[in-house]
Each structure stands twice: as structure tokens, then as C-alpha cells.
């Protein structure tokens, strides 16, 4: 049973618009969440993270929102660019240090059309 | 810049063969991880190590073993490869002072 789920396997967005990627989790012990981005033939790269003591974290065009009561987080990319086209993985850990094991979602493939 | 390298980008092996996947990191990180990535399943943790000669099972350790004889190197071993081990294998490392895992480029293994 997957503890971290990304229910949309793919998402297509027009350049300049907002991309919203969603992630749900079931384990209430998770208190640290990360988003990774993966291009084909490359390893995932860290994008942004959020601790459960916050409900929002922003880094440039990327914002992650956390709704603890709904066990839901989302990644907003504004404005979307063609170079953002990649697979995005949501990950969670129990404990504030990601040196604890990470549990990943299945990924969402984002396609940003020029 | 953190660098995590994996010995092969692509590998083709036959059923029953013993397979070694090597991972090296150059940042003196304590923790190292092996994952496999399959479509729709994301990354699943096979094994991790928090120190030399130390290892812990992840979510899917069956059919795999690991070796960490030196801090910078973490090896994944398939004792007898099977077709259901065809996958993308990703290695990662992490400093205990950090909160980010750094990944290698991955090894796409095909078992025929």
C-alpha cells in the first residue's frame, strides 16, 4: 500500500501558465516533505522542501503548500517554462532530517508546451 | 558540487548472472542509498547504509545485497539476476548535516 500517492501520472500545461502538482500521504508520522525533479537519463535533483511546522515554502517560481489536516501537499510552478518538463516526485520522511528513509510517490510527468 | 557516480549507465545481463552495481560519492557523506525506479511506483528503497560496514534493509530488499567497505563506495549486488529485476537503479548519498539526498545518474539494468 503506497503511503505517498501522486494520483496524476501526467499533466500538460501551456507555457506561462501555472502548473499544480499534487501529492497525498497516509502516514501521519511524516513531517518533512520534498519535491524532486527528474529529467530522462538523469538522477532526480532536489527542488524544494517543507517541514510540517510550515504550510508554505517558496523558492523563486516554485511554491510548496502543505495541508496537514488533509494530508495533502502541492507544488505550484509559476510561470511554467518548457524547461520545467520533467517527472516530478513527491517524497516524505518521518523526522526533520531527510537522512531518514524517504518514501516516494509514483511521480507526475509534467509537459509544458511552448 | 556533490558528485555521485554510478559505474554503468546501461547494463544487460542474463537470468542467473551475478550483477554488481557500483556507486561512488565524493563528498564524504555518511549515508548512502540504493533505490529502484519503476513506472507508476516511483522510487523504492532497496537498502541504505549509514556508515562503513553498516547496512539496513529498505522496503524491497529481497533478491539484493549490499556492501560498504569504504565510506565513498556503496555496492548493490544481485546474487542471481531475474527478469523482474529489470529496472532503473539509482544511488543517492546524504550528509547527516544536510537534508537533501543527492542522486547519481542511474543504471538501467535489463535482465534477459
Amino acid at each position: 500500500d503506497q503511503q505517498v500517492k501522486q494520483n496524476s501520472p501526467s499533466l500538460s500545461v501551456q507555457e506561462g501558465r501555472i502548473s499544480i502538482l499534487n501529492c497525498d500521504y497516509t502516514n501521519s508520522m511524516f513531517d518533512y516533505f520534498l519535491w524532486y525533479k527528474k529529467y530522462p537519463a538523469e538522477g532526480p535533483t532536489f527542488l524544494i522542501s517543507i517541514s510540517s511546522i510550515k504550510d508554505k515554502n517558496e523558492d523563486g517560481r516554485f511554491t510548496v503548500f502543505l495541508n496537514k489536516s488533509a494530508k495533502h501537499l502541492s507544488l505550484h510552478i509559476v510561470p511554467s517554462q518548457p524547461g520545467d518538463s520533467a517527472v516530478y516526485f513527491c517524497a516524505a520522511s518521518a523526522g526533520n532530517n531527510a537522512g531518514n528513509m524517504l518514501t516516494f510517490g509514483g511521480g507526475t510527468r509534467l509537459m509544458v508546451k511552448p | 558540487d556533490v558528485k555521485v557516480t554510478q559505474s554503468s549507465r546501461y547494463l544487460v545481463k542474463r537470468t542467473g548472472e551475478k550483477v554488481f552495481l557500483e556507486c561512488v560519492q565524493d563528498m564524504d557523506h555518511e549515508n548512502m542509498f540504493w533505490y529502484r525506479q519503476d513506472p507508476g511506483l516511483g522510487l523504492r528503497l532497496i537498502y541504505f547504509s549509514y556508515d562503513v560496514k553498516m547496512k539496513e534493509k529498505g522496503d524491497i530488499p529481497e533478491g539484493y545485497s549490499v556492501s560498504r567497505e569504504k565510506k565513498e563506495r556503496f555496492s548493490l549486488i544481485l546474487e542471481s539476476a531475474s527478469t523482474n529485476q529489470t529496472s532503473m537503479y539509482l544511488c543517492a548519498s546524504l550528509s547527516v548535516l544536510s537534508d537533501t539526498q543527492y542522486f547519481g545518474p542511474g543504471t538501467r539494468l535489463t535482465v534477459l
Side-chain angles (χ1 to χ4, degrees):
Chain A
D1 190 28
Q2 284 190 295
Q3 297 185 66
V4 178
K5 286 185 180 178
Q6 294 174 253
N7 290 318
S8 299
S10 65
L11 176 67
S12 183
V13 170
Q14 205 67 36
E15 181 179 5
R17 298 289 190 101
I18 183 171
S19 296
I20 301 176
L21 295 90
N22 293 304
C23 178
D24 297 295
Y25 62 95
T26 56
N27 188 341
S28 58
M29 298 300 292
F30 288 146
D31 60 1
Y32 190 72
F33 305 89
L34 307 90
W35 285 93
Y36 280 84
K37 176 179 178 179
K38 185 180 184 302
Y39 292 118
E42 293 183 16
T45 54
F46 170 74
L47 192 57
I48 193 169
S49 63
I50 189 166
S51 164
S52 60
I53 61 173
K54 293 184 172 182
D55 54 16
K56 177 182 173 182
N57 189 25
E58 193 170 350
D59 183 3
R61 296 186 297 114
F62 302 91
T63 304
V64 56
F65 295 91
L66 175 62
N67 182 333
K68 289 188 291 293
S69 59
K71 293 192 177 68
H72 176 84
L73 64 154
S74 61
L75 174 68
H76 293 211
I77 307 173
V78 178
S80 301
Q81 299 173 354
D84 296 329
S85 297
V87 177
Y88 289 79
F89 292 100
C90 167
S93 74
N96 282 331
N97 187 331
N100 293 325
M101 292 191 293
L102 288 179
T103 301
F104 284 83
T108 296
R109 182 177 300 279
L110 174 65
M111 292 164 284
V112 180
K113 299 178 181 176
Chain B
D1 258 5
V2 176
K3 194 159 186 188
V4 181
T5 56
Q6 294 183 228
S7 50
S8 306
R9 297 300 299 271
Y10 300 94
L11 210 51
V12 180
K13 295 291 181 181
R14 297 205 174 274
T15 302
E17 279 193 79
K18 191 167 186 176
V19 182
F20 292 89
L21 302 182
E22 301 283 334
C23 175
V24 178
Q25 49 95 3
D26 66 356
M27 283 301 293
D28 203 36
H29 284 172
E30 295 81 5
N31 296 357
M32 296 187 75
F33 306 81
W34 274 106
Y35 295 89
R36 62 178 283 178
Q37 182 200 347
D38 300 289
L41 297 177
L43 280 70
R44 291 180 293 166
L45 183 65
I46 304 170
Y47 267 98
F48 72 100
S49 168
Y50 52 89
D51 202 350
V52 174
K53 297 192 186 295
M54 306 302 286
K55 60 184 179 183
E56 293 285 343
K57 292 180 180 179
D59 298 319
I60 50 165
E62 296 79 17
Y64 304 94
S65 62
V66 289
S67 171
R68 190 146 181 224
E69 297 296 317
K70 293 185 178 181
K71 191 174 185 180
E72 67 271 18
R73 188 179 298 270
F74 192 33
S75 303
L76 180 69
I77 303 152
L78 287 67
E79 293 289 341
S80 177
S82 61
T83 54
N84 63 11
Q85 292 179 310
T86 292
S87 187
M88 169 70 83
Y89 289 87
L90 292 158
C91 173
S93 74
L94 172 95
S95 165
V96 294
L97 301 176
S98 171
D99 56 9
T100 303
Q101 291 189 20
Y102 294 90
F103 284 85
T107 296
R108 183 162 292 284
L109 172 67
T110 302
V111 183
L112 302 174

